Amino acid sequence: MLYQRHFDSVFGYVYKVMQDRETSEDVVQNIFISIWKKPPNLSHPTVLFYLIGAARNQIAKEIRKNKWSKEQLDFIKNTKGICSTDEYLEERETRKLLESGIQKLPAKCRNVFTLSRFSYLSNKQISEKLGISVFTVENHIKRALYLLRQSLEFIVICLVSWC
């Protein structure tokens, strides 16, 4: 059901960046296979946001693997997903909630998380840049993800109780 509901949006996003049908299909296939193998704990409003984020990460891996140009990397950073108006509004609202949650993280945890998720640095690169161990980087990322999930789950519960 997840695949049928969101394949077109995710594929459209990936294809817009990759400009190659075969590569785009492979990237999207990898996303859904990884979800099938290890399903994340997501609520309905965050599913598309998660999938687009997973697509960005898969695209970044593909680009690193194939040594794409800086222009292509910049394009990815500035690209929005292709989806319906409702999905766009839902994604935008979820993004606001996520950004708010990120701002509430402890400073070091927030710094490590943003370097990992938004600057696409590896754990080793982050540890070298900040002068901390890879284990500490992993712990900061785990803590950030835990706190963000808690924050988003609390908001969803509040919204559901209002309806």
Short mmCIF file of all heavy atoms in Angstrom, two decimals, residues 5 14 25 53 56-57 78 81 84 90 92 95 135 153:
data_model
loop_
_atom_site.label_atom_id
_atom_site.label_comp_id
_atom_site.label_asym_id
_atom_site.label_seq_id
_atom_site.Cartn_x
_atom_site.Cartn_y
_atom_site.Cartn_z
N ARG A 5 0.85 4.00 -3.00
CA ARG A 5 0.42 5.35 -2.68
C ARG A 5 1.50 6.39 -2.98
O ARG A 5 1.19 7.50 -3.39
CB ARG A 5 0.02 5.43 -1.21
CG ARG A 5 -0.49 6.81 -0.83
CD ARG A 5 -1.00 6.86 0.56
NE ARG A 5 -2.25 6.09 0.62
CZ ARG A 5 -2.80 5.65 1.73
NH1 ARG A 5 -2.23 5.90 2.88
NH2 ARG A 5 -3.91 4.97 1.71
N VAL A 14 12.89 11.86 -7.59
CA VAL A 14 14.19 11.29 -7.95
C VAL A 14 14.50 11.54 -9.42
O VAL A 14 15.61 11.95 -9.78
CB VAL A 14 14.25 9.78 -7.61
CG1 VAL A 14 15.53 9.15 -8.13
CG2 VAL A 14 14.13 9.56 -6.12
N GLU A 25 14.63 4.61 -11.17
CA GLU A 25 13.89 3.41 -10.75
C GLU A 25 14.70 2.61 -9.74
O GLU A 25 14.15 2.11 -8.75
CB GLU A 25 13.54 2.56 -11.96
CG GLU A 25 12.44 3.16 -12.81
CD GLU A 25 12.19 2.40 -14.11
OE1 GLU A 25 13.00 1.52 -14.47
OE2 GLU A 25 11.18 2.71 -14.77
N GLY A 53 13.01 12.33 2.15
CA GLY A 53 14.32 12.38 2.82
C GLY A 53 15.17 11.17 2.46
O GLY A 53 16.37 11.29 2.19
N ARG A 56 16.44 11.66 -1.01
CA ARG A 56 17.59 12.58 -1.04
C ARG A 56 18.86 11.86 -0.61
O ARG A 56 19.92 12.04 -1.21
CB ARG A 56 17.34 13.78 -0.13
CG ARG A 56 16.34 14.76 -0.70
CD ARG A 56 16.12 15.90 0.21
NE ARG A 56 17.36 16.67 0.33
CZ ARG A 56 17.41 17.90 0.76
NH1 ARG A 56 16.32 18.52 1.12
NH2 ARG A 56 18.56 18.53 0.84
N ASN A 57 18.75 11.03 0.43
CA ASN A 57 19.93 10.29 0.90
C ASN A 57 20.42 9.29 -0.15
O ASN A 57 21.62 9.16 -0.38
CB ASN A 57 19.62 9.57 2.22
CG ASN A 57 19.43 10.54 3.37
OD1 ASN A 57 19.89 11.68 3.33
ND2 ASN A 57 18.72 10.10 4.39
N ASN A 78 18.27 22.27 -3.46
CA ASN A 78 17.23 23.27 -3.69
C ASN A 78 15.96 22.70 -4.30
O ASN A 78 15.06 23.45 -4.65
CB ASN A 78 17.78 24.38 -4.59
CG ASN A 78 18.94 25.09 -3.93
OD1 ASN A 78 18.91 25.38 -2.75
ND2 ASN A 78 19.97 25.35 -4.70
N GLY A 81 10.02 18.09 -3.58
CA GLY A 81 9.38 16.91 -4.14
C GLY A 81 8.21 17.29 -5.04
O GLY A 81 7.65 18.37 -4.93
N SER A 84 1.02 16.25 -4.84
CA SER A 84 -0.22 17.02 -4.90
C SER A 84 -0.19 18.16 -3.91
O SER A 84 0.66 18.21 -3.02
CB SER A 84 -1.41 16.10 -4.60
OG SER A 84 -1.40 15.75 -3.24
N GLU A 90 0.98 19.08 3.59
CA GLU A 90 1.30 18.15 4.67
C GLU A 90 2.81 18.08 4.89
O GLU A 90 3.29 18.13 6.01
CB GLU A 90 0.74 16.77 4.31
CG GLU A 90 0.86 15.74 5.39
CD GLU A 90 0.20 14.44 4.97
OE1 GLU A 90 -1.04 14.36 4.99
OE2 GLU A 90 0.95 13.51 4.61
N ARG A 92 5.02 20.37 4.05
CA ARG A 92 5.49 21.67 4.54
C ARG A 92 5.23 21.81 6.03
O ARG A 92 6.09 22.27 6.79
CB ARG A 92 4.81 22.80 3.76
CG ARG A 92 5.43 24.15 4.03
CD ARG A 92 4.85 25.20 3.15
NE ARG A 92 3.50 25.50 3.64
CZ ARG A 92 2.70 26.37 3.08
NH1 ARG A 92 3.05 27.01 2.00
NH2 ARG A 92 1.51 26.60 3.59
N ARG A 95 7.59 19.56 7.84
CA ARG A 95 8.93 20.16 7.82
C ARG A 95 9.05 21.24 8.92
O ARG A 95 10.06 21.30 9.61
CB ARG A 95 9.24 20.76 6.45
CG ARG A 95 10.64 21.36 6.36
CD ARG A 95 10.93 21.89 4.97
NE ARG A 95 10.93 20.86 3.96
CZ ARG A 95 11.96 20.08 3.68
NH1 ARG A 95 13.08 20.20 4.35
NH2 ARG A 95 11.88 19.17 2.74
N PHE A 135 31.86 7.03 17.81
CA PHE A 135 30.84 6.51 18.74
C PHE A 135 30.00 7.65 19.31
O PHE A 135 28.77 7.55 19.41
CB PHE A 135 31.53 5.73 19.86
CG PHE A 135 30.59 5.14 20.86
CD1 PHE A 135 29.83 4.02 20.55
CD2 PHE A 135 30.45 5.71 22.12
CE1 PHE A 135 28.95 3.48 21.48
CE2 PHE A 135 29.57 5.17 23.04
CZ PHE A 135 28.83 4.06 22.73
N GLU A 153 5.61 12.40 17.53
CA GLU A 153 4.55 11.53 18.01
C GLU A 153 3.63 12.28 18.96
O GLU A 153 2.42 12.14 18.91
CB GLU A 153 5.12 10.29 18.69
CG GLU A 153 5.70 9.29 17.71
CD GLU A 153 6.41 8.12 18.38
OE1 GLU A 153 6.33 7.99 19.63
OE2 GLU A 153 7.05 7.35 17.66
#
